Amino acid sequence: SFEDVSGKKRRMTVDMIILCPAIVPHRDAGALAGIFGVTTDAFGFFSEPMTTDFPASRGIVSAGACTGPVDIKTALEQGRAAAARVVAGLPEGAELEVMPSRTQVDPARCSGCMLCVGLCPEQAIEPASDRSVVSVRDLLCSGCGVCIAACPAHALHGSECSSAALSAELKGTLENSKE
């Protein structure tokens, strides 16, 4: 049983139901766009153009799902392009310290379900020879976090950028923008 878009209650026999929530911007996206001085589109997603000029808006570059519905691969590509724009805009001789984000496995928690192996867009996760646990090939791992989110045993962890660290960084950015 379900209610259709007109509000009418209906009943239907089906083999499978796939629930897919709408991708919508956060209710505060407009306020955040105002703080950073970027525009939003008709739906409320950031609409900062990806151009070759840097900085497009004082060094603020939009990428990924904040610009609209995108799949993980596209979001990663946009993020890499944004990072390349930032690096290209650095003054000559400037140094940039890079801290790669890599996934780590807690072998004591890994159940060997291999779910992460099939989900990794970079094919960076491989099973041990006895298939009891997995390991991550650091050189291939992009740190996207797909495996971390999917792991039912919570055996995978990001080496950088925890949720708490990202929240603290955003809070600091917002506080600095008020000054």
Side-chain angles (χ1 to χ4, degrees), residues 114-175:
M114 304 299 150
L115 178 64
C116 56
V117 174
L119 291 175
C120 179
E122 308 297 339
Q123 285 116 29
I125 303 175
E126 59 187 358
S129 58
D130 64 357
R131 300 185 66 81
S132 61
V133 295
V134 296
S135 63
V136 177
R137 293 184 276 180
D138 287 339
L139 292 176
L140 295 179
C141 180
S142 65
C144 70
V146 171
C147 58
I148 296 169
C151 181
H154 305 287
L156 301 168
H157 305 281
S159 60
E160 302 294 333
C161 297
S162 66
S163 294
L166 289 172
S167 294
E169 186 174 325
L170 182 57
K171 182 179 177 184
T173 302
L174 292 174
E175 287 173 358

Side-chain angles (χ1 to χ4, degrees), residues 40-124:
T40 56
D41 64 14
F43 301 103
F45 291 101
F46 297 158
S47 58
E48 183 67 23
M50 290 291 285
T51 66
T52 55
D53 299 331
F54 186 84
S57 273
R58 298 175 324 281
I60 297 170
V61 182
S62 301
C66 72
T67 63
V70 296
D71 59 32
I72 291 171
K73 184 172 181 145
T74 302
L76 283 170
E77 290 169 359
Q78 289 178 351
R80 288 179 179 138
R85 286 182 62 207
V86 170
V87 170
L90 291 174
E92 186 148 346
E95 291 186 19
L96 180 66
E97 183 179 339
V98 178
M99 295 172 50
S101 178
R102 301 291 182 251
T103 299
Q104 298 171 344
V105 181
D106 179 351
R109 293 191 70 117
C110 182
S111 66
C113 72
M114 304 299 150
L115 178 64
C116 56
V117 174
L119 291 175
C120 179
E122 308 297 339
Q123 285 116 29

